[in-house]
Amino acid sequence: MKQLLTAATLLCTLSVTAQQAKNVGLSAIKIADLQRDLYALADDHFRGREAGTQDELDAAAWLAEQARQIGLQPAGDNGTYFQYFPLIRDRVSSESQIILHHKPLELWKDVIVFEPVHAQVNAPLIFLNGLQDIDTADVKGKAVILRFSPEGITNPMIKSLRRYATLIIRDRVKRLAGKGPAAIVFVSDSTASQDWARSLEYADRGTYHMDGGYFNSIIVKDIPLLWINDPSLITQDSNNQTLVANIVTDHFIYPSVNVVAKQEGSDATLKSEYVLFSGHIDHDGVRHLAPGADSIYNGADDNATVDVALLAAGRAFKKQPGRRSVLFVFHGAEERGLYGSTWFAAHPTVPKAAIVSVLNGDMIGRNNIDSAALLGVNPPHRNSKDLVSVALAANAAGPHFKLDTTWDNPQQIEGWYFRSDHLPYARAGIPSIFFTTLLHPDYHTVRDDASRINYQKLTKMTQWLYLTARTLADQDARPAVDAGFRL
Ligand SMILES: [Zn+2]
């Protein structure tokens, strides 16, 4: 705190009053609050807050109650803290049957059905070796058997284990789908085999959709895409082999929810404009139960850190309101495809034109205490130079992080910019940036627990978010969108 005040006094452009306002707010951000709230929200009690489950709704109710206790007003639908939206899930049913050359395969053990599909197949097998076969063979009405292989794929992301299987599946489907195969069956090579367990976890829970969501597109309709991990289940040399399958998909609609709270501004005119803080409620829930092992993905860093930072910023703005109003949006269903933010950006509870900026955070409590990252800071992802300079000045006045600003490079293998809740707002033409302390080995594992958070760092990140919002709430002008911005 001492260092903060010393650095802040160097900001001679600020009036004494604005500086005092900042300090009053800063004094309301307390490490003890952040720690207490984080242990509560990332507790096993909420069972990993999976989107579209009772656990997510319970966590949403808890956040709304914290906002109420802080004294923030409800700003969701119909005078409540909540904005519900429908989340659609399609999942291959366990009733499905897959028989490869008279041998029944066990779904999710011997075989992954990569995407939900309704299909009845009774087709001869055709084995394709290599690209030349793929591009020339007559596959009409046949079940194609292919080994995973990166042959012919130039996309640099092929080097990422997490993308390997998907990129190959997409490429081969593109080459084959138009030729009318009855099914496409992939067989692991050593690289794909390492990704089997993770892909299984995603595939067996199905795909999530929302009208207007970004991740609605499935790779191909009507052609079953199967993945067999154990090559010994395939015998290449016998003739007259068949695939017989009856694949059924279950369809569900679940409620998910955004929690929305506000602190009204003090200026008679500017209070009709909003600085929007964004985080997400949900994480990955309870995955495969292993006896005696932890199976709950508590998502302490991802994204309980940001939820509790927003509560702390709420206390700061409650204590010292800005001239503009501040909106706190805790999004649902981020992990399933940015659905809460997509919904809110399309159905904002305040006029869209009144949102002056979006400050999104995702994972802000790990890695070196002196470093952090800001995304949306460089082209092609920067959509507001004005907003970026406010955030950079806030860092210089406050926490002094050494900033990693390289994540906007389009060659960045993780595509990180496209994976959090600022995206739908940026696409909607609202100045938006993304604060994070980046990936770590516990990312999306059962080890992302409250005990592994660096609370001093989380406090510094919260101060940075707050100081950025403080300037945006108090300065006369609102940030402009860069001319010609397009994602
Ligand atoms: Zn996240």
Side-chain angles (χ1 to χ4, degrees):
M1 183 61 80
K2 189 157 178 294
Q3 185 191 9
L4 275 170
L5 297 183
T6 316
T9 49
L10 296 174
L11 271 188
C12 45
T13 53
L14 289 167
S15 71
V16 173
T17 329
Q19 190 56 55
Q20 280 167 347
K22 267 187 191 185
N23 293 342
V24 170
L26 276 177
S27 72
I29 296 172
K30 299 200 172 86
I31 189 169
D33 291 343
L34 289 162
Q35 190 159 352
R36 180 200 60 229
D37 290 349
L38 199 131
Y39 269 89
L41 185 58
D43 190 88
D44 282 357
H45 169 75
F46 289 117
R47 294 169 35 93
R49 310 183 302 278
E50 183 173 0
T53 69
Q54 180 69 44
D55 304 322
E56 185 189 42
L57 300 181
D58 287 346
W62 183 87
L63 282 163
E65 174 57 17
Q66 305 311 305
R68 190 190 67 78
Q69 285 181 19
I70 289 165
L72 303 175
Q73 296 94 48
D77 286 336
N78 308 315
T80 74
Y81 288 102
F82 304 103
Q83 180 187 48
Y84 290 93
F85 57 91
L87 190 63
I88 301 161
R89 177 187 187 188
D90 290 313
R91 188 187 62 185
V92 172
S93 163
S94 52
E95 305 295 304
S96 301
Q97 290 178 314
I98 299 168
I99 300 163
L100 187 69
H101 197 48
H102 309 301
K103 180 182 162 35
L105 300 183
E106 195 176 325
L107 184 64
W108 311 133
K109 180 173 168 284
D110 299 326
V111 61
I112 288 177
V113 179
F114 202 71
E115 289 183 329
V117 66
H118 286 288
Q120 289 199 304
V121 179
N122 187 345
L125 304 189
I126 176 170
F127 295 89
L128 300 185
N129 292 306
L131 264 197
Q132 179 143 21
D133 263 15
I134 292 172
D135 289 337
T136 56
D138 174 12
V139 300
K140 192 162 176 59
K142 296 173 189 158
V144 174
I145 311 274
L146 291 175
R147 245 183 190 285
F148 275 104
S149 142
E151 188 190 354
I153 299 179
T154 53
N155 187 327
M157 289 186 185
I158 192 76
K159 293 188 195 113
S160 149
L161 179 60
R162 291 177 53 249
R163 312 257 171 169
Y164 180 83
T166 312
L167 278 173
I168 293 169
I169 291 173
R170 281 184 184 279
D171 178 82
R172 302 322 187 221
V173 167
K174 210 165 115 194
R175 293 170 191 269
L176 288 165
K179 299 198 251 178
I184 306 178
V185 183
F186 294 86
V187 184
S188 281
D189 65 353
S190 60
T191 309
S193 168
Q194 296 172 60
D195 193 35
W196 167 266
R198 191 193 68 88
S199 296
L200 176 63
E201 294 211 336
Y202 283 91
D204 78 351
R205 35 187 63 205
T207 60
Y208 292 77
H209 312 256
M210 197 182 67
D211 289 340
Y214 293 121
F215 294 87
N216 282 352
S217 59
I218 60 169
I219 297 174
V220 65
K221 277 209 167 86
D222 304 328
I223 303 174
L225 306 178
L226 310 184
W227 175 357
I228 291 172
N229 197 31
D230 177 2
S232 74
L233 291 170
I234 306 280
T235 10
Q236 257 215 61
D237 41 76
S238 49
N239 290 322
N240 305 319
Q241 292 197 38
T242 55
L243 176 73
V244 177
N246 180 19
I247 303 172
V248 185
T249 287
D250 295 327
H251 182 76
F252 309 89
I253 302 178
Y254 302 130
S256 184
V257 66
N258 296 322
V259 171
V260 193
K262 74 171 172 188
Q263 172 56 50
E264 195 159 85
S266 59
D267 182 282
T269 313
L270 291 181
K271 74 176 183 184
S272 62
E273 296 182 345
Y274 295 85
V275 178
L276 190 155
F277 277 113
S278 152
H280 69 86
I281 304 167
D282 66 307
H283 192 59
D284 271 353
V286 183
R287 299 272 157 152
H288 296 275
L289 292 164
D294 186 3
S295 56
I296 303 179
Y297 287 63
N298 284 315
D301 190 32
D302 187 5
N303 199 13
T305 50
V306 172
D307 296 330
V308 304
L310 265 50
L311 294 175
R315 290 183 193 97
F317 276 102
K318 178 72 197 172
K319 195 158 182 187
Q320 184 66 53
R323 294 171 70 206
R324 290 189 175 82
S325 299
V326 179
L327 203 61
F328 301 87
V329 187
F330 305 85
H331 296 103
E334 189 267 359
E335 300 286 3
R336 303 279 73 82
L338 315 184
Y339 292 122
S341 50
T342 300
W343 186 266
F344 193 89
H347 309 274
T349 57
V350 300
K352 195 183 102 180
I355 303 171
V356 302
S357 291
V358 170
L359 309 182
N360 177 51
D362 205 341
M363 304 164 61
I364 60 167
R366 295 290 298 261
N367 294 324
N368 191 307
I369 188 151
D370 297 322
S371 68
L374 191 62
L375 284 81
V377 67
N378 289 316
H381 304 149
R382 189 191 70 204
N383 79 339
S384 172
K385 216 160 121 183
D386 295 349
L387 173 57
V388 168
S389 15
V390 171
L392 296 181
N395 182 47
H400 296 290
F401 286 115
K402 231 180 281 146
L403 290 185
D404 181 347
T405 57
T406 62
W407 292 76
D408 290 317
N409 182 338
Q411 299 303 314
Q412 227 302 324
I413 202 165
E414 289 286 344
W416 198 234
Y417 179 81
F418 294 91
R419 290 166 52 188
S420 193
D421 284 325
H422 54 284
L423 186 66
Y425 297 99
R427 289 203 203 268
I430 301 167
S432 303
I433 43 175
F434 170 21
F435 299 76
T436 178
T437 54
L438 297 169
L439 294 161
H440 48 78
D442 300 330
Y443 170 74
H444 282 228
T445 71
V446 292
R447 298 184 305 277
D448 183 6
D449 281 329
S451 60
R452 294 180 181 233
I453 299 301
N454 179 336
Y455 290 91
Q456 265 162 348
K457 178 160 191 184
L458 174 56
T459 308
K460 286 175 68 181
M461 286 297 288
T462 307
Q463 290 166 342
W464 184 22
L465 278 156
Y466 164 72
L467 288 170
T468 305
R470 183 90 238 166
T471 303
L472 295 165
D474 288 347
Q475 73 185 6
D476 291 335
R478 55 188 284 177
V481 177
D482 292 357
F485 170 74
R486 199 165 164 263
L487 281 175

